[in-house]
Amino acid sequence: QRERPKQPFLKRFTASHPVLYRIAASVILVLLVGWGGVSFSAQSLPGNFLYPVKRLAENARYSLTFTPDGRAELHVIFARNRTDELRKSFQPHVSLDKGLLNAMLNESRSAQKESENLKGLRSRVLIDKIAQLNRHQQSALENIQPMACTADSAVIIQAISLCTQRGDCLTRGCCSECQCGTEPCACPW
């Protein structure tokens, strides 16, 4: 009498545990689709149907970061993302997405506020990154300004002025502990 060849493990497992197999397959499918959605959403812009996925992934990443320096670094990354989104989504002589402009400036402020919790070299490195981000934002706004619609000119000029003030504050080093010398504090953060 001949022996029947043994069936492969997967075939034996699926035959003996069909419910468990379906659950495992469903979990793997959900993880793959979720990972793919987050990956594809990374380059999305406001108005794109994947943009909420991108923002949800950012919020989840922030929620899973527990250190002040890690959170501040994420605010810098998110502010750079908002700046790049503003630049890429801008259309000459079409109204500017003011919510996106506000989000860009608020992320920068949040990075600076988180940096106040840091000391020493880590604080200085982060302040340098925030200063570089501030220059990037100011440059992006200055490039947009000449092509902006008339109604947005004042808002963009105000945002550029804010970036200039923030840059001056970062240069003076008054950001970690207010030393701007004015009462009340005149730091733009």
Side-chain angles (χ1 to χ4, degrees):
Q1 193 176 39
R2 284 172 52 168
E3 270 186 44
R4 286 190 342 200
K6 257 190 161 181
Q7 292 183 336
F9 170 76
L10 190 55
K11 193 164 192 158
R12 282 182 293 156
F13 178 78
T14 59
S16 60
H17 300 83
V19 173
L20 192 56
Y21 172 73
R22 287 186 181 127
I23 291 172
S26 298
V27 168
I28 290 170
L29 180 65
V30 166
L31 290 174
L32 287 174
V33 168
W35 176 77
V38 169
S39 296
F40 286 124
S41 72
Q43 298 303 316
S44 64
L45 297 173
N48 184 292
F49 76 99
L50 285 176
Y51 189 72
V53 175
K54 176 181 183 175
R55 293 302 301 267
L56 184 66
E58 287 179 353
N59 290 338
R61 187 174 172 194
Y62 184 80
S63 296
L64 295 172
T65 303
F66 301 105
T67 62
D69 60 328
R71 286 181 170 232
E73 288 277 352
L74 286 178
H75 282 300
V76 169
I77 291 167
F78 299 158
R80 184 169 291 276
N81 288 350
R82 301 297 84 81
T83 305
D84 293 341
E85 291 164 2
L86 185 69
R87 188 179 45 77
K88 290 175 184 174
S89 65
F90 175 76
Q91 296 177 9
H93 311 292
V94 175
S95 186
L96 181 73
D97 184 342
K98 291 170 192 70
L100 188 55
L101 173 63
N102 199 29
M104 174 189 89
L105 296 171
N106 286 340
E107 286 291 353
S108 299
R109 184 179 63 231
S110 296
Q112 192 282 327
K113 292 294 180 195
E114 288 283 351
S115 75
E116 291 175 356
N117 299 323
L118 304 176
K119 302 288 182 226
L121 180 62
R122 190 67 194 126
S123 174
R124 188 69 243 157
V125 167
L126 191 58
I127 292 294
D128 289 344
K129 287 182 180 182
I130 295 169
Q132 181 182 17
L133 169 67
N134 187 68
R135 288 189 298 274
H136 176 66
Q137 289 177 332
Q138 185 170 350
S139 174
L141 291 167
E142 288 169 346
N143 289 334
I144 286 172
Q145 183 193 9
M147 299 176 284
C149 68
T150 309
D152 290 336
S153 260
V155 172
I156 295 172
I157 290 170
Q158 186 178 17
I160 291 170
S161 175
L162 179 63
C163 288
T164 301
Q165 292 170 9
R166 286 177 173 182
D168 292 345
C169 183
L170 289 164
T171 301
R172 286 193 316 265
C174 66
C175 294
S176 56
E177 296 173 21
C178 187
Q179 302 165 358
C180 66
T182 61
E183 200 52 52
C185 174
C187 285
W189 299 101

